[in-house]
Amino acid sequence: MPTPVTGGLAMVAGVLVAAVGSPVVGDGFWGFAAAAAVLIGIGVLDDIYDVRWYWRILSQVVAALIMVYASGVRVAQLGPALGLDSMALGALSVPFTVFATVGLINAINMIDGVDGLAGALVWCALLMLGAAALYAGNDVIAERMMLLMGAVAGFLMFNMRSPWRPRARLFMGNSGSAFLGLVVAWFSFRLTQNAGHPVSPVLALWLLPVPVMDTLVVMARRIRMRRSPFHPDRNHIHHLMIDAGVSVGRTVLLLCLFTLGCGFLVGQGMRADVPNPVLLSMFGVMGLAWYGFSEERERALGLFSRLSGESASQRAERARARLASSE
């Protein structure tokens, strides 16, 4: 059914109206607004006219450069992530920041394939960012996280399915996914690159483990098969879960619980002084494990079918139907 794709515009409007009258405005806000305006503008055009992918990437690069040069938000130090006291990126700081920002934006865009999923995962990430900011004593970022969580929660009221609403009444569109990607990148960099309230850069990876890992795995597989990394298919984790019979609501719930569980365990690991290289390696091992396991689509479908709530006979019938359709 025709569904409005103005959720991104609504979230941006809510944030801007609340921020202008908020005491936490300032400290790079107008740079953030300019970067968001670039992404929203090209996102709206993409939602209407289906803009070519390279124009979207160019707009994301421009937004990241605005973030760096207009507001001074960048990744300058990676030492703690590698167990070193200091490892300044120097001349690599800007390209690394641009790469990370564009990567996060596209990860959220690619995970936006099920009602409520992208928004709910970002809400979880904002919650964990806010908790980390409070723990580190950065009250300003914590307050901004609450403002952003309110905007995302308002959108989810119209985007998530429920017993009273069998389908989304509103989509965020490409403008919304780009805006949320910028939000996560911006505040992750602000939090992890703040010498006064230090938080390890490793945490940023574990804020959105599902979109980041899923995007890396899917794009690596497409490149290996000599396809464009932006070539659409149904091999994202949410597609596999839906095709295995997991309901949309349960898919969103399970992936959100996984995200929060990862964030909680990694946070406790940091409190217990687990070396950051170990936590970084864990992310890499998990990504490689998912790449290998999901190589056989039927194996992944078999795993997720056990989470669908179906009986054994229903799962067997679904498996036979998949086999028949593939033949």
Side-chain angles (χ1 to χ4, degrees):
M1 296 178 64
T3 304
V5 290
T6 52
L9 291 173
M11 285 187 282
V12 172
V15 168
L16 291 179
V17 170
V20 168
S22 170
V24 299
V25 163
D27 193 18
F29 171 77
W30 295 112
F32 173 82
V38 170
L39 294 175
I40 290 294
I42 198 71
V44 170
L45 291 175
D46 188 33
D47 289 330
I48 298 173
Y49 300 111
D50 194 18
V51 174
R52 299 296 293 271
W53 65 267
Y54 44 80
W55 289 113
R56 297 200 304 269
I57 296 296
L58 178 61
S59 72
Q60 294 161 15
V61 170
V62 171
L65 291 174
I66 292 173
M67 177 174 70
V68 171
Y69 291 112
S71 299
V73 178
R74 67 173 72 189
V75 180
Q77 180 64 250
L78 285 180
L82 302 175
L84 305 173
D85 291 334
S86 177
M87 194 186 93
L89 289 176
L92 295 177
S93 173
V94 173
F96 185 90
T97 302
V98 170
F99 176 79
T101 303
V102 172
L104 270 172
I105 290 172
N106 283 281
I108 294 174
N109 178 267
M110 288 186 176
I111 207 68
D112 186 24
V114 172
D115 291 349
L117 181 57
L121 290 176
V122 169
W123 193 91
C124 291
L126 297 177
L127 175 65
M128 291 186 287
L129 267 172
L134 285 175
Y135 185 79
N138 196 326
D139 295 339
V140 172
I141 287 185
E143 289 180 25
R144 293 178 182 177
M145 289 303 96
M146 287 187 278
L147 186 154
L148 289 160
M149 287 168 63
V152 177
F155 163 72
L156 288 174
M157 290 179 63
F158 299 92
N159 183 245
M160 291 190 73
R161 296 188 184 184
S162 71
W164 306 275
R165 187 173 56 247
R167 54 178 295 276
R169 294 179 57 190
L170 185 68
F171 293 150
M172 69 171 66
N174 288 324
S175 59
S177 61
F179 172 71
L180 293 182
L182 175 69
V183 163
V184 175
W186 182 288
F187 287 101
S188 295
F189 302 157
R190 287 290 305 275
L191 188 62
T192 61
Q193 302 297 306
N194 188 328
H197 306 280
V199 174
S200 171
V202 172
L203 178 66
L205 278 177
W206 290 100
L207 293 173
L208 286 167
V210 174
V212 173
M213 210 171 295
D214 179 69
T215 298
L216 290 174
V217 167
V218 168
M219 294 184 77
R221 185 168 290 127
R222 289 171 183 170
I223 292 172
R224 195 198 70 186
M225 298 175 68
R226 298 183 179 180
R227 295 178 181 172
S228 166
F230 299 99
H231 178 78
D233 56 36
R234 287 192 62 82
N235 291 319
H236 288 285
I237 188 169
H238 51 277
H239 291 146
L240 295 174
M241 295 178 75
I242 296 298
D243 290 349
V246 184
S247 68
V248 170
R250 185 171 293 197
T251 295
V252 174
L253 176 62
L254 290 174
L255 292 180
C256 285
L257 289 176
F258 177 81
T259 297
L260 292 172
C262 285
F264 176 79
L265 291 175
V266 170
Q268 294 306 306
M270 289 180 174
R271 291 186 61 192
D273 294 325
V274 174
N276 285 323
V278 172
L279 300 176
L280 182 62
S281 299
M282 286 170 54
F283 189 89
V285 169
M286 187 179 295
L288 289 172
W290 174 242
Y291 181 92
F293 184 83
S294 61
E295 185 70 14
E296 294 185 20
R297 199 171 195 275
E298 287 300 318
R299 180 168 55 191
L301 292 175
L303 169 67
F304 289 133
S305 68
R306 292 175 172 81
L307 306 174
S308 65
E310 295 179 330
S311 65
S313 60
Q314 289 174 318
R315 290 200 300 268
E317 181 61 31
R318 179 177 288 274
R320 286 194 293 271
R322 288 202 307 268
L323 182 60
S325 63
S326 65
E327 293 175 348

